Amino acid sequence: MSDKLVGQPLVRKEDPRLLRGDGRYLDDLGRGALAAAFVRSPVAHARIADIDVTDALDVEGLVAVYTHEDLPGRVAEPLPLLIPHPDLSHPRTPYCLAKDEVNHVGEAVVMVVATDRYLAEDAAERIVVTYEDLPPVVGIDQARAAQRLVHDEVPGNIAARSVQTNGKGDARGAIAAAPHRLSLDLQIERSASMPMEGKGVLAHWDADDRTLRVHTSTQTSTSVRLAVAAKLELPPDRVEVITPDVGGGFGVKIVHPWPEEILVPWAAMTLGRDVKWVEDRREHFISSAHERGQQQHVEAGFDGSGRLLGLSVEIWHDNGAYVPYGIIVPIVTSTQLLGPYKVGAYRVEFTSLYTNTVIVTPYRGAGRPQGVFAMERTMDAIAEYLGLDRLAVREANLIQPEEMPYDQGLVFQDGRPLIYDSGDYPTMLRMIRELVGWDGFEAERAAAAAEGRRIGIGIGAYVEGTGMGPYEGAHVKVETTGEIVVSTGLTTQGQGHYTSLAQIAADVLGVGVGDVTVITGDTRRFKYAVGTFASRAIVTSGNAVAVAAGKVAEKAKRIAAAALGGGTAPEDLELVDGTVRRRDDPAASIDLRTVAVLSNPLRYAFDEAAKAATQFAAAVGTGDEPGLEATGYYMPERSTFAAGAHGVVVETDPETADIRILRYCVVHDCGVVVNPRIVEGQVHGGVAQGVGGALYERIVYDDAGQLVNASYMDFLIPFATEVPHIQTAHMVTASGVNPLGLKGAGEAGVIPTSAAVASAIEDAEGLAVRRMPISPSELYELRKLHETRKSRKEQVSA
């Protein structure tokens, strides 16, 4: 494949339309549809004693009110467990509408349908639900204590317990025998992804041909189609799911089917009217999904150079009230924790716990920020213990390039062996050292100190499994106008697919990017796909597009060879500048659009171009199927592993404890880079979310299970003013497990940010940072605690 477009930092094709305001989001659709609203639980844990809808019936414009008792068949059953796992011993998933009991604030209890949203909300307010309170379980500490249970039949609140070892011996024994040992207790608080656009569903039922059309703001239209078909007991071919423009996903929209994705289509079928629901911001806070919340205990044994001889990690993961998405997040934490390092003996155990809070499902990074936090905090702690440079300790533990592919001896989230396919981690560390100015930092620190300023430097490194299966596909068609149409089952929510996938197709077919139109998220155009999540799209769909385009190119050569005649063979031809031409005689060529015409032998001529394909004029009869088009699939053997390192310099105010990022540097390796501009944008967006997770964003519940900061007034998201300038350097170690050498890039920016910022704050302050995010007031309290402990030690010594 030519590399003339792959690797170019082309401007995104999709941006002009979106910047002009011409995007079509879910709420732009369905004018005139009935509107749905939900009565949601105001309490965290309770039995439903009674639901009285009498007053709601007086609201003019009310169309229907539904409780769980009204739901038929499979709609009344619990939502599916999407990803079963042998260690998930007590899976519990919610009902579309709560049955008998509610288990978190925000759980849907009643669905109201009215002629518009205002009336639906008015009716919902008049519905009286009587609850019998049950004691809530809020936070990991209460879940671990298990003095109260979220689900009566789940002992200890334990959804899953899992242990993995890397097959290199007894980790605890190795730690006990090591020359040096330390332990750390760490915590990452709960947060949430907060896409600009919340969820939304619009459904249309055609009773005549019994087809259901669903528009939904999702990261997986094809899977929603299958889920809706299963729940509503329809043949999948009777269900079409279309994803319009999506205003951000970040993982929360890979969960499916959401209750509303079943209830709204069911209501449309029941009522014979279009029905629509659009989530408001408070609903998103209290009824979508959260992530990140974990406690960790680390035991490490190491030698005098800081080399890890044994590592044992226990993780307690808060999965919220239900586990519809399984235990993917703690699996990712426990397996990606090792990062670019080789550890002697490794044992990791996680316990996934129910709490009376919103469900926890993957959010950009999906468990990796927690794992990197554990490992990088351990590296810094070892350096502090031994009095070594922090980078030196990391260097002592790095996997070397000649050790690739490197088997970590674990099973990854896709059920495949955790084998790093490629990477040059020593070079990566050298690059971040230079980029962030590690070696000259002491002089910088001294100069700042002379001005009364306090600064510190930190680092965080990671490895990210990307491009997992099971597959993606694409259909590529050359129109007789010369336009190339690429259809995939992927959805797109800002990743630049319309440009990057076009670059791949254009290279294979020898056309310009402007000649290629990419269509995503429409099951009418492509039915088979998995979805856009986990940094997998460019790897899986990129290779699928290349496969499909390659088939089209070969077909074009066969047809063109016949048309050119003179003994021309397909292997004599190449696709260049929108033509198929002889390699040895470029003047002997034929336009690709003409080849498209010839690919469909015609009996009737509709225009001048069609004449060339009619039975008395056509020079070809290839025996191929009609049309210059093909479908291709890519099924990865296993994941491919991207990597990177972040370096950060912070300043902490000696008086106010305000924390300011002065410098942020990223070295990133996502294999062959299709579009550097898009990758850079993905990295920058990830860092922005990472900064939010390190310094600002957290979900706060009170003891009653009420989410107390469920608005943008209280849930702090960094503005542009808080996001630092980001210096980025790329390195390329091509993947060896896919034909294009690609690795994913979507989540990289967010993964090590909390670890790197914690490292820098610790360096600036000279005190241990074991919990993130950290606010100025928390740093202030940490200083006081540190001074108290220091004073006690001095008193004991005296």
PDB file of all heavy atoms in Angstrom, residues 134-161:
ATOM      1  N   LEU A 134     -34.378   1.307  52.976  1.00  0.00           N
ATOM      2  CA  LEU A 134     -33.421   0.290  53.397  1.00  0.00           C
ATOM      3  C   LEU A 134     -32.080   0.979  53.615  1.00  0.00           C
ATOM      4  O   LEU A 134     -31.799   2.022  52.996  1.00  0.00           O
ATOM      5  CB  LEU A 134     -33.286  -0.790  52.319  1.00  0.00           C
ATOM      6  CG  LEU A 134     -34.535  -1.623  52.031  1.00  0.00           C
ATOM      7  CD1 LEU A 134     -34.337  -2.465  50.770  1.00  0.00           C
ATOM      8  CD2 LEU A 134     -34.856  -2.519  53.228  1.00  0.00           C
ATOM      9  N   PRO A 135     -31.243   0.428  54.482  1.00  0.00           N
ATOM     10  CA  PRO A 135     -29.958   1.094  54.719  1.00  0.00           C
ATOM     11  C   PRO A 135     -29.066   1.021  53.468  1.00  0.00           C
ATOM     12  O   PRO A 135     -28.892  -0.059  52.897  1.00  0.00           O
ATOM     13  CB  PRO A 135     -29.352   0.298  55.877  1.00  0.00           C
ATOM     14  CG  PRO A 135     -30.047  -1.023  55.842  1.00  0.00           C
ATOM     15  CD  PRO A 135     -31.425  -0.760  55.314  1.00  0.00           C
ATOM     16  N   PRO A 136     -28.528   2.148  53.048  1.00  0.00           N
ATOM     17  CA  PRO A 136     -27.688   2.139  51.846  1.00  0.00           C
ATOM     18  C   PRO A 136     -26.243   1.748  52.148  1.00  0.00           C
ATOM     19  O   PRO A 136     -25.751   1.938  53.261  1.00  0.00           O
ATOM     20  CB  PRO A 136     -27.762   3.590  51.376  1.00  0.00           C
ATOM     21  CG  PRO A 136     -27.919   4.371  52.639  1.00  0.00           C
ATOM     22  CD  PRO A 136     -28.740   3.509  53.569  1.00  0.00           C
ATOM     23  N   VAL A 137     -25.603   1.210  51.141  1.00  0.00           N
ATOM     24  CA  VAL A 137     -24.170   0.922  51.198  1.00  0.00           C
ATOM     25  C   VAL A 137     -23.494   1.938  50.282  1.00  0.00           C
ATOM     26  O   VAL A 137     -23.679   1.917  49.062  1.00  0.00           O
ATOM     27  CB  VAL A 137     -23.864  -0.510  50.717  1.00  0.00           C
ATOM     28  CG1 VAL A 137     -22.354  -0.769  50.722  1.00  0.00           C
ATOM     29  CG2 VAL A 137     -24.605  -1.519  51.582  1.00  0.00           C
ATOM     30  N   VAL A 138     -22.719   2.834  50.867  1.00  0.00           N
ATOM     31  CA  VAL A 138     -22.126   3.930  50.098  1.00  0.00           C
ATOM     32  C   VAL A 138     -20.613   3.904  50.277  1.00  0.00           C
ATOM     33  O   VAL A 138     -20.105   4.030  51.392  1.00  0.00           O
ATOM     34  CB  VAL A 138     -22.685   5.296  50.558  1.00  0.00           C
ATOM     35  CG1 VAL A 138     -22.107   6.414  49.684  1.00  0.00           C
ATOM     36  CG2 VAL A 138     -24.197   5.305  50.495  1.00  0.00           C
ATOM     37  N   GLY A 139     -19.910   3.728  49.205  1.00  0.00           N
ATOM     38  CA  GLY A 139     -18.452   3.750  49.258  1.00  0.00           C
ATOM     39  C   GLY A 139     -17.852   2.379  49.509  1.00  0.00           C
ATOM     40  O   GLY A 139     -18.504   1.447  49.985  1.00  0.00           O
ATOM     41  N   ILE A 140     -16.568   2.281  49.161  1.00  0.00           N
ATOM     42  CA  ILE A 140     -15.879   0.991  49.229  1.00  0.00           C
ATOM     43  C   ILE A 140     -15.733   0.505  50.662  1.00  0.00           C
ATOM     44  O   ILE A 140     -15.848  -0.693  50.939  1.00  0.00           O
ATOM     45  CB  ILE A 140     -14.512   1.108  48.519  1.00  0.00           C
ATOM     46  CG1 ILE A 140     -14.734   1.338  47.015  1.00  0.00           C
ATOM     47  CG2 ILE A 140     -13.669  -0.145  48.753  1.00  0.00           C
ATOM     48  CD1 ILE A 140     -13.457   1.583  46.228  1.00  0.00           C
ATOM     49  N   ASP A 141     -15.500   1.423  51.593  1.00  0.00           N
ATOM     50  CA  ASP A 141     -15.315   1.002  52.986  1.00  0.00           C
ATOM     51  C   ASP A 141     -16.560   0.281  53.504  1.00  0.00           C
ATOM     52  O   ASP A 141     -16.458  -0.784  54.137  1.00  0.00           O
ATOM     53  CB  ASP A 141     -15.007   2.214  53.867  1.00  0.00           C
ATOM     54  CG  ASP A 141     -13.603   2.735  53.652  1.00  0.00           C
ATOM     55  OD1 ASP A 141     -12.742   1.949  53.189  1.00  0.00           O
ATOM     56  OD2 ASP A 141     -13.368   3.926  53.916  1.00  0.00           O
ATOM     57  N   GLN A 142     -17.735   0.855  53.244  1.00  0.00           N
ATOM     58  CA  GLN A 142     -18.963   0.212  53.707  1.00  0.00           C
ATOM     59  C   GLN A 142     -19.215  -1.100  52.963  1.00  0.00           C
ATOM     60  O   GLN A 142     -19.700  -2.066  53.548  1.00  0.00           O
ATOM     61  CB  GLN A 142     -20.150   1.154  53.514  1.00  0.00           C
ATOM     62  CG  GLN A 142     -20.185   2.308  54.514  1.00  0.00           C
ATOM     63  CD  GLN A 142     -21.493   3.082  54.460  1.00  0.00           C
ATOM     64  OE1 GLN A 142     -22.433   2.684  53.783  1.00  0.00           O
ATOM     65  NE2 GLN A 142     -21.542   4.200  55.177  1.00  0.00           N
ATOM     66  N   ALA A 143     -18.898  -1.116  51.691  1.00  0.00           N
ATOM     67  CA  ALA A 143     -19.095  -2.362  50.931  1.00  0.00           C
ATOM     68  C   ALA A 143     -18.205  -3.464  51.480  1.00  0.00           C
ATOM     69  O   ALA A 143     -18.622  -4.612  51.617  1.00  0.00           O
ATOM     70  CB  ALA A 143     -18.809  -2.108  49.454  1.00  0.00           C
ATOM     71  N   ARG A 144     -16.945  -3.121  51.775  1.00  0.00           N
ATOM     72  CA  ARG A 144     -16.013  -4.128  52.313  1.00  0.00           C
ATOM     73  C   ARG A 144     -16.463  -4.595  53.701  1.00  0.00           C
ATOM     74  O   ARG A 144     -16.349  -5.777  54.022  1.00  0.00           O
ATOM     75  CB  ARG A 144     -14.600  -3.551  52.386  1.00  0.00           C
ATOM     76  CG  ARG A 144     -13.942  -3.336  51.041  1.00  0.00           C
ATOM     77  CD  ARG A 144     -12.567  -2.695  51.179  1.00  0.00           C
ATOM     78  NE  ARG A 144     -11.616  -3.527  51.915  1.00  0.00           N
ATOM     79  CZ  ARG A 144     -10.377  -3.165  52.182  1.00  0.00           C
ATOM     80  NH1 ARG A 144      -9.925  -1.975  51.782  1.00  0.00           N
ATOM     81  NH2 ARG A 144      -9.574  -3.975  52.843  1.00  0.00           N
ATOM     82  N   ALA A 145     -16.950  -3.665  54.497  1.00  0.00           N
ATOM     83  CA  ALA A 145     -17.371  -4.033  55.849  1.00  0.00           C
ATOM     84  C   ALA A 145     -18.567  -4.993  55.798  1.00  0.00           C
ATOM     85  O   ALA A 145     -18.721  -5.863  56.663  1.00  0.00           O
ATOM     86  CB  ALA A 145     -17.736  -2.778  56.633  1.00  0.00           C
ATOM     87  N   ALA A 146     -19.417  -4.824  54.789  1.00  0.00           N
ATOM     88  CA  ALA A 146     -20.551  -5.730  54.541  1.00  0.00           C
ATOM     89  C   ALA A 146     -21.498  -5.841  55.736  1.00  0.00           C
ATOM     90  O   ALA A 146     -22.147  -6.868  55.932  1.00  0.00           O
ATOM     91  CB  ALA A 146     -20.046  -7.109  54.136  1.00  0.00           C
ATOM     92  N   GLN A 147     -21.575  -4.796  56.533  1.00  0.00           N
ATOM     93  CA  GLN A 147     -22.579  -4.797  57.607  1.00  0.00           C
ATOM     94  C   GLN A 147     -23.975  -4.580  57.037  1.00  0.00           C
ATOM     95  O   GLN A 147     -24.965  -4.860  57.682  1.00  0.00           O
ATOM     96  CB  GLN A 147     -22.220  -3.709  58.625  1.00  0.00           C
ATOM     97  CG  GLN A 147     -20.927  -4.008  59.371  1.00  0.00           C
ATOM     98  CD  GLN A 147     -20.534  -2.902  60.322  1.00  0.00           C
ATOM     99  OE1 GLN A 147     -20.945  -1.757  60.168  1.00  0.00           O
ATOM    100  NE2 GLN A 147     -19.728  -3.248  61.315  1.00  0.00           N
ATOM    101  N   ARG A 148     -24.034  -4.035  55.843  1.00  0.00           N
ATOM    102  CA  ARG A 148     -25.276  -3.893  55.088  1.00  0.00           C
ATOM    103  C   ARG A 148     -25.047  -4.510  53.722  1.00  0.00           C
ATOM    104  O   ARG A 148     -23.912  -4.529  53.229  1.00  0.00           O
ATOM    105  CB  ARG A 148     -25.647  -2.426  54.899  1.00  0.00           C
ATOM    106  CG  ARG A 148     -25.684  -1.608  56.175  1.00  0.00           C
ATOM    107  CD  ARG A 148     -25.720  -0.130  55.836  1.00  0.00           C
ATOM    108  NE  ARG A 148     -25.740   0.713  57.008  1.00  0.00           N
ATOM    109  CZ  ARG A 148     -25.607   2.035  56.970  1.00  0.00           C
ATOM    110  NH1 ARG A 148     -25.429   2.648  55.809  1.00  0.00           N
ATOM    111  NH2 ARG A 148     -25.639   2.746  58.080  1.00  0.00           N
ATOM    112  N   LEU A 149     -26.123  -4.981  53.119  1.00  0.00           N
ATOM    113  CA  LEU A 149     -26.012  -5.598  51.805  1.00  0.00           C
ATOM    114  C   LEU A 149     -26.817  -4.816  50.772  1.00  0.00           C
ATOM    115  O   LEU A 149     -27.932  -4.376  51.035  1.00  0.00           O
ATOM    116  CB  LEU A 149     -26.507  -7.042  51.846  1.00  0.00           C
ATOM    117  CG  LEU A 149     -25.703  -8.001  52.739  1.00  0.00           C
ATOM    118  CD1 LEU A 149     -26.335  -9.399  52.693  1.00  0.00           C
ATOM    119  CD2 LEU A 149     -24.236  -8.061  52.304  1.00  0.00           C
ATOM    120  N   VAL A 150     -26.244  -4.667  49.597  1.00  0.00           N
ATOM    121  CA  VAL A 150     -26.970  -4.031  48.486  1.00  0.00           C
ATOM    122  C   VAL A 150     -28.036  -4.983  47.967  1.00  0.00           C
ATOM    123  O   VAL A 150     -29.190  -4.616  47.776  1.00  0.00           O
ATOM    124  CB  VAL A 150     -25.993  -3.640  47.370  1.00  0.00           C
ATOM    125  CG1 VAL A 150     -26.754  -3.069  46.170  1.00  0.00           C
ATOM    126  CG2 VAL A 150     -24.960  -2.638  47.887  1.00  0.00           C
ATOM    127  N   HIS A 151     -27.635  -6.213  47.741  1.00  0.00           N
ATOM    128  CA  HIS A 151     -28.561  -7.262  47.294  1.00  0.00           C
ATOM    129  C   HIS A 151     -28.552  -8.359  48.361  1.00  0.00           C
ATOM    130  O   HIS A 151     -27.475  -8.903  48.678  1.00  0.00           O
ATOM    131  CB  HIS A 151     -28.124  -7.837  45.947  1.00  0.00           C
ATOM    132  CG  HIS A 151     -27.970  -6.799  44.864  1.00  0.00           C
ATOM    133  ND1 HIS A 151     -29.046  -6.224  44.242  1.00  0.00           N
ATOM    134  CD2 HIS A 151     -26.865  -6.229  44.316  1.00  0.00           C
ATOM    135  CE1 HIS A 151     -28.623  -5.344  43.341  1.00  0.00           C
ATOM    136  NE2 HIS A 151     -27.304  -5.323  43.364  1.00  0.00           N
ATOM    137  N   ASP A 152     -29.712  -8.662  48.903  1.00  0.00           N
ATOM    138  CA  ASP A 152     -29.777  -9.601  50.028  1.00  0.00           C
ATOM    139  C   ASP A 152     -29.104 -10.932  49.722  1.00  0.00           C
ATOM    140  O   ASP A 152     -28.531 -11.579  50.607  1.00  0.00           O
ATOM    141  CB  ASP A 152     -31.243  -9.853  50.408  1.00  0.00           C
ATOM    142  CG  ASP A 152     -31.875  -8.638  51.072  1.00  0.00           C
ATOM    143  OD1 ASP A 152     -31.106  -7.776  51.547  1.00  0.00           O
ATOM    144  OD2 ASP A 152     -33.112  -8.546  51.076  1.00  0.00           O
ATOM    145  N   GLU A 153     -29.184 -11.340  48.471  1.00  0.00           N
ATOM    146  CA  GLU A 153     -28.692 -12.664  48.123  1.00  0.00           C
ATOM    147  C   GLU A 153     -27.226 -12.647  47.675  1.00  0.00           C
ATOM    148  O   GLU A 153     -26.707 -13.660  47.185  1.00  0.00           O
ATOM    149  CB  GLU A 153     -29.563 -13.268  47.002  1.00  0.00           C
ATOM    150  CG  GLU A 153     -29.476 -12.576  45.657  1.00  0.00           C
ATOM    151  CD  GLU A 153     -30.225 -11.240  45.579  1.00  0.00           C
ATOM    152  OE1 GLU A 153     -30.671 -10.760  46.627  1.00  0.00           O
ATOM    153  OE2 GLU A 153     -30.315 -10.676  44.486  1.00  0.00           O
ATOM    154  N   VAL A 154     -26.544 -11.514  47.840  1.00  0.00           N
ATOM    155  CA  VAL A 154     -25.127 -11.415  47.453  1.00  0.00           C
ATOM    156  C   VAL A 154     -24.294 -11.232  48.712  1.00  0.00           C
ATOM    157  O   VAL A 154     -24.193 -10.130  49.260  1.00  0.00           O
ATOM    158  CB  VAL A 154     -24.881 -10.255  46.477  1.00  0.00           C
ATOM    159  CG1 VAL A 154     -23.392 -10.156  46.128  1.00  0.00           C
ATOM    160  CG2 VAL A 154     -25.717 -10.441  45.208  1.00  0.00           C
ATOM    161  N   PRO A 155     -23.681 -12.294  49.224  1.00  0.00           N
ATOM    162  CA  PRO A 155     -22.915 -12.178  50.479  1.00  0.00           C
ATOM    163  C   PRO A 155     -21.696 -11.283  50.321  1.00  0.00           C
ATOM    164  O   PRO A 155     -20.979 -11.340  49.319  1.00  0.00           O
ATOM    165  CB  PRO A 155     -22.507 -13.635  50.771  1.00  0.00           C
ATOM    166  CG  PRO A 155     -22.585 -14.329  49.440  1.00  0.00           C
ATOM    167  CD  PRO A 155     -23.680 -13.648  48.674  1.00  0.00           C
ATOM    168  N   GLY A 156     -21.500 -10.448  51.344  1.00  0.00           N
ATOM    169  CA  GLY A 156     -20.313  -9.602  51.374  1.00  0.00           C
ATOM    170  C   GLY A 156     -20.314  -8.497  50.339  1.00  0.00           C
ATOM    171  O   GLY A 156     -19.291  -7.834  50.154  1.00  0.00           O
ATOM    172  N   ASN A 157     -21.426  -8.317  49.648  1.00  0.00           N
ATOM    173  CA  ASN A 157     -21.524  -7.321  48.558  1.00  0.00           C
ATOM    174  C   ASN A 157     -20.544  -7.620  47.424  1.00  0.00           C
ATOM    175  O   ASN A 157     -20.208  -6.746  46.631  1.00  0.00           O
ATOM    176  CB  ASN A 157     -21.270  -5.893  49.085  1.00  0.00           C
ATOM    177  CG  ASN A 157     -22.350  -5.415  50.022  1.00  0.00           C
ATOM    178  OD1 ASN A 157     -23.534  -5.546  49.725  1.00  0.00           O
ATOM    179  ND2 ASN A 157     -21.946  -4.901  51.179  1.00  0.00           N
ATOM    180  N   ILE A 158     -20.080  -8.846  47.342  1.00  0.00           N
ATOM    181  CA  ILE A 158     -19.018  -9.186  46.387  1.00  0.00           C
ATOM    182  C   ILE A 158     -19.635  -9.713  45.087  1.00  0.00           C
ATOM    183  O   ILE A 158     -20.220 -10.807  45.046  1.00  0.00           O
ATOM    184  CB  ILE A 158     -18.069 -10.242  46.984  1.00  0.00           C
ATOM    185  CG1 ILE A 158     -17.371  -9.667  48.215  1.00  0.00           C
ATOM    186  CG2 ILE A 158     -17.037 -10.682  45.936  1.00  0.00           C
ATOM    187  CD1 ILE A 158     -16.541 -10.680  48.976  1.00  0.00           C
ATOM    188  N   ALA A 159     -19.466  -8.931  44.053  1.00  0.00           N
ATOM    189  CA  ALA A 159     -19.908  -9.371  42.719  1.00  0.00           C
ATOM    190  C   ALA A 159     -18.907 -10.347  42.119  1.00  0.00           C
ATOM    191  O   ALA A 159     -19.281 -11.334  41.475  1.00  0.00           O
ATOM    192  CB  ALA A 159     -20.071  -8.169  41.801  1.00  0.00           C
ATOM    193  N   ALA A 160     -17.629 -10.065  42.322  1.00  0.00           N
ATOM    194  CA  ALA A 160     -16.588 -10.899  41.717  1.00  0.00           C
ATOM    195  C   ALA A 160     -15.312 -10.807  42.533  1.00  0.00           C
ATOM    196  O   ALA A 160     -15.021  -9.769  43.137  1.00  0.00           O
ATOM    197  CB  ALA A 160     -16.313 -10.445  40.282  1.00  0.00           C
ATOM    198  N   ARG A 161     -14.589 -11.884  42.532  1.00  0.00           N
ATOM    199  CA  ARG A 161     -13.235 -11.887  43.101  1.00  0.00           C
ATOM    200  C   ARG A 161     -12.359 -12.647  42.126  1.00  0.00           C
ATOM    201  O   ARG A 161     -12.716 -13.726  41.654  1.00  0.00           O
ATOM    202  CB  ARG A 161     -13.215 -12.526  44.477  1.00  0.00           C
ATOM    203  CG  ARG A 161     -11.818 -12.613  45.081  1.00  0.00           C
ATOM    204  CD  ARG A 161     -11.871 -12.938  46.560  1.00  0.00           C
ATOM    205  NE  ARG A 161     -12.229 -11.765  47.361  1.00  0.00           N
ATOM    206  CZ  ARG A 161     -12.837 -11.832  48.546  1.00  0.00           C
ATOM    207  NH1 ARG A 161     -13.199 -13.002  49.030  1.00  0.00           N
ATOM    208  NH2 ARG A 161     -13.095 -10.737  49.228  1.00  0.00           N
TER     209      ARG A 161
END
